[in-house]
Each structure stands twice: as structure tokens, then as C-alpha cells.
Amino acid sequence: MTDSKRSLWLIEKLYNNRSLTLEEYECLVSERNDEAAELLRAYADRVRREIYGTDIFIRGLIEIGNVCKNDCLYCGIRKSNASCERYRLSDEEILHCAVEGYGLGFRTFVLQGGEDAYFTDDRLCSIISQIKERFPDCAVTLSLGERSRESYERLFRAGADRYLLRHETADREHYERLHPEGMSFDNRMKSLAVLKEIGFQVGCGFMVGSPFQTPLTLAKDLKFIEEFSPDMCGIGPFIPHRQTPFGEKAAGTVEETCYLLSIIRLIKPNILLPSTTALGTVNPVGREMGIKAGANVIMPNLSPVSVRKKYELYENKICTGEESAQCIECLKKRMEGIGYTVVCDRGDIKK
Ligand code: 5AD
Ligand code: FES
């Protein structure tokens, strides 16, 4: 079989079985071509429409702080970046973002931030329970990195519904090249398992085109997603940040990201899959392309405009000057423009 015939055959197999072997995933990733991408996109769109129609769920992202004790080599808010201007939102500011977001139609709030001891369990539990009390019809998602099992349990009991923790890469050696000594692949994977055990709806994810990534490491990511079966999966292109050790590395592409979004949709048809801000940063219509490739979630920023630019995981991030209301209007139009509809809904996974 020629390479391109083989990828078409693999796509049919994936569509029918929701699964490939590690070797087959590797082959599908390394033999990406326009014809395969188009077939994947068509299948991904079909299975997504069967479950979610043309609905696009929105999540209000509140970047609660950019102080971080970690030093991930790719990340702009790593502790060694002395030129990053640090901030923390107060409890009142966070609540205020949620109030504004509720008025704009958001029914999920995502509290995201670096790993920062300032955000103790007590503080977070108080914020979570205030949001849930005021807006019982909303889901609260946390994206605050690795914490202890006890901490995750307390946050869950306080009312948090979901937790996003990108696994970053399912290959141990690759993980160790992206992170400093002291950060542990095992602890990352353990944390994901613990979050699921506790009862959170869990999201994993990775960057596309991160340094040292190969078709094999990507195949391991896909196999991990197939086996772990997360409710959500966040993927977006790697974008170099000058003030990091990876400042000179190449960025990931929209094409490869969309290809992988389609594959992930076929592995798990009901998964919640965001078309990320990073995708919109590498291409002006990147988020639209992500949606067409099978994504069904967008996460506009609800953080106060005064801190937006400071939460700079990567450079040239979009929507850092827009008020939340402007952003949501813009996104609604963009989604309508390609035949999808932003809905006012918690956007839980359809089982
Ligand atoms: N480019 C793209 N994504 C990044 N992230 C961190 N740094 C970058 C970067 N330079 C992603 C990581 C992290 C998520 C919050 O943002 O995958 O888990
Ligand atoms: Fe933010 Fe368009 S989505 S300005």
C-alpha cells in the first residue's frame, strides 16, 4: 500500500473501531497529508454533529494568578522568568468576573492559574462555594496544576465539578525534556488518575509541535487518551516565548493541531474538545478551523483587562485588549459565520 492509501485505510479503521494500535497511530500521524486531513475532518464533524449538533459550548476563563513555583521550560509564567510581571486576583475580583460572565451567558467558569501556595485550599474552597451558591446552575472547572489528593478532595467537596490538568506528553523521556528535574511524570499521571477517582470530570491535553515531540510521542498521547478516556482534552500549538529556554524553537502548526483534533474526536466521539486560544494565536481563523476539525468548546477570557497581558504563557496571545463582552460577541459572530451556534449551557459531556 502507498503511504496515502494506508492513512485512508487507518482512518476508516479508526472511524469504525474508535481505536488503533500504537504503531498505527504513529503511522497516521507521520503520514499526514491533505487528503487524509480532509477525510478525518469530515468524519470528525459527522460524529460530533450526531451528538452535539452544531452547538458550541463556551467556558469563561478566569486567570486567577500568574505566580508559579514551577519552571516548565516552555511556559512564559515559569518562575525563572524575571520579566514576567506577577499578579494575583483577590477573591472579590474573581467573583466579579463570574458575575460579569453570568450576565454574558456563561454557565461554566474555569479558574486557571500557576501553582501558587497563596491559593490555599481554604481560599479556593471559599471562592468555589461562593460561586456555586450564587450561581447554582453553573459548573466550576479548576486548572491549577498538581495538588495533593486531600486538596483535590476538599476542592471537590466545596463544589468544583471539573479539573483540567494537561498531561503535556505521555512519553516519560519527552516529559523530562520539557520539565526541570523535580517535576515528575509519574506524579502528573497519578494526579490525573486521582482526580478521576474523586469524581471530577477530568481533562488532559498536550501541546502540538512542542520541542522534541515525534510521531511516536504523539501516538502515545493518542493511546493515553483512548485508554484514560478523559471527559475533556485541551490541545493547542506550542508557541515559543522569548523569555524561556525554548524561545528559539519553532511553533506548532494549525494543520497538525486540526489533524489531531479530528483524530481525538474519532477516538472519543462525545469528548469536550476546545478550539484553543493558542490556535487562534498562530492563525487569525485558527479557532474556526479547530471547530470545523471537530472541536466543540471555546474558552473566551473573562479575566480583568488590566491583567490579561500578564498571563502570558506564550507570546502574541489574542484577545488581551478586548473586554469580555466584546470577545463573546466576536466569537458568536465567528461561529455563526461557519454554521455553528454558541449556546448558553453548562455544556456537560453527553454520555
Ligand atoms: N505554548 C503553547 N501552550 C503553552 N502552554 C504553556 N506554555 C505554552 C506555550 N509556550 C500550555 C500548557 C499548559 C497550558 C495551561 O498552557 O500545555 O498546560
Ligand atoms: Fe476575543 Fe474575538 S474572540 S476579540
Side-chain angles (χ1 to χ4, degrees), residues 128-151:
I128 295 162
S129 39
Q130 287 181 69
I131 297 179
K132 294 292 285 194
E133 242 163 65
R134 198 142 169 196
F135 306 115
D137 53 338
C138 288
V140 170
T141 305
L142 303 176
S143 175
L144 300 165
E146 293 172 29
R147 303 175 72 94
S148 66
R149 174 188 285 268
E150 294 64 43
S151 171

Side-chain angles (χ1 to χ4, degrees), residues 73-74 177 209-212 238-241 244-252:
L73 276 74
Y74 46 83
R177 297 182 82 173
S210 64
F212 318 115
F238 162 73
I239 303 173
H241 188 298
T244 67
F246 291 164
E248 303 298 318
K249 304 279 188 194

Side-chain angles (χ1 to χ4, degrees), residues 62-67 88-92 94-95 98 109-133 140-164 195 200:
I62 308 175
E63 295 154 337
I64 66 171
N66 66 356
V67 178
R88 289 173 177 128
L89 297 185
S90 66
D91 300 15
E92 294 70 36
I94 296 169
L95 219 55
F109 301 110
V110 182
L111 310 186
Q112 185 174 84
E115 291 190 18
D116 177 8
Y118 167 83
F119 287 103
T120 57
D121 295 343
D122 283 342
R123 182 177 298 280
L124 289 170
C125 287
S126 146
I127 298 168
I128 295 162
S129 39
Q130 287 181 69
I131 297 179
K132 294 292 285 194
E133 242 163 65
V140 170
T141 305
L142 303 176
S143 175
L144 300 165
E146 293 172 29
R147 303 175 72 94
S148 66
R149 174 188 285 268
E150 294 64 43
S151 171
Y152 287 150
E153 278 168 350
R154 285 195 58 192
L155 301 172
F156 186 71
R157 282 200 303 271
D161 303 274
R162 311 185 184 130
Y163 205 103
L164 306 175
L195 286 163
F200 281 103

Side-chain angles (χ1 to χ4, degrees), residues 74-76 112 166 168 188 206-207 237-241 278 311 313-314:
Y74 46 83
C75 185
Q112 185 174 84
R166 289 191 176 182
E168 310 297 357
R188 193 65 158 198
F206 58 91
M207 294 177 292
F238 162 73
I239 303 173
H241 188 298
Y311 198 83
L313 304 179
Y314 47 81

Side-chain angles (χ1 to χ4, degrees), residues 196-319:
K196 200 176 199 187
E197 238 175 74
I198 292 173
F200 281 103
Q201 298 170 40
V202 181
C204 64
F206 58 91
M207 294 177 292
V208 178
S210 64
F212 318 115
Q213 187 172 67
T214 64
L216 179 58
T217 66
L218 282 170
K220 289 184 182 176
D221 290 321
L222 296 171
K223 202 65 190 168
F224 172 68
I225 291 164
E226 184 192 309
E227 288 170 355
F228 183 65
S229 192
D231 300 290
M232 305 158 286
C233 182
I235 75 165
F238 162 73
I239 303 173
H241 188 298
R242 251 185 290 274
Q243 310 295 335
T244 67
F246 291 164
E248 303 298 318
K249 304 279 188 194
T253 66
V254 191
E255 289 72 22
E256 189 167 31
T257 306
C258 288
Y259 192 74
L260 289 159
L261 282 170
S262 300
I263 295 175
I264 295 168
R265 171 65 62 202
L266 292 185
I267 294 173
K268 189 166 161 95
N270 65 343
I271 198 167
L272 295 163
L273 204 53
S275 189
T276 55
T277 305
L279 202 47
T281 298
V282 293
N283 186 304
V285 291
R287 283 172 302 176
E288 286 88 333
M289 291 168 75
I291 295 290
K292 288 188 195 162
N296 64 333
V297 172
I298 32 182
M299 300 172 67
N301 205 316
L302 283 183
S303 310
V305 174
S306 59
V307 304
R308 292 263 183 107
K309 281 202 168 41
K310 298 178 188 163
Y311 198 83
E312 191 187 53
L313 304 179
Y314 47 81
E315 277 159 313
N316 307 316
K317 195 171 148 197
I318 52 167
C319 302

Side-chain angles (χ1 to χ4, degrees), residues 287 319 322 326-327 330-331 334:
R287 283 172 302 176
C319 302
E322 276 74 14
Q326 284 176 285
C327 241
C330 164
L331 274 170
R334 282 166 175 260

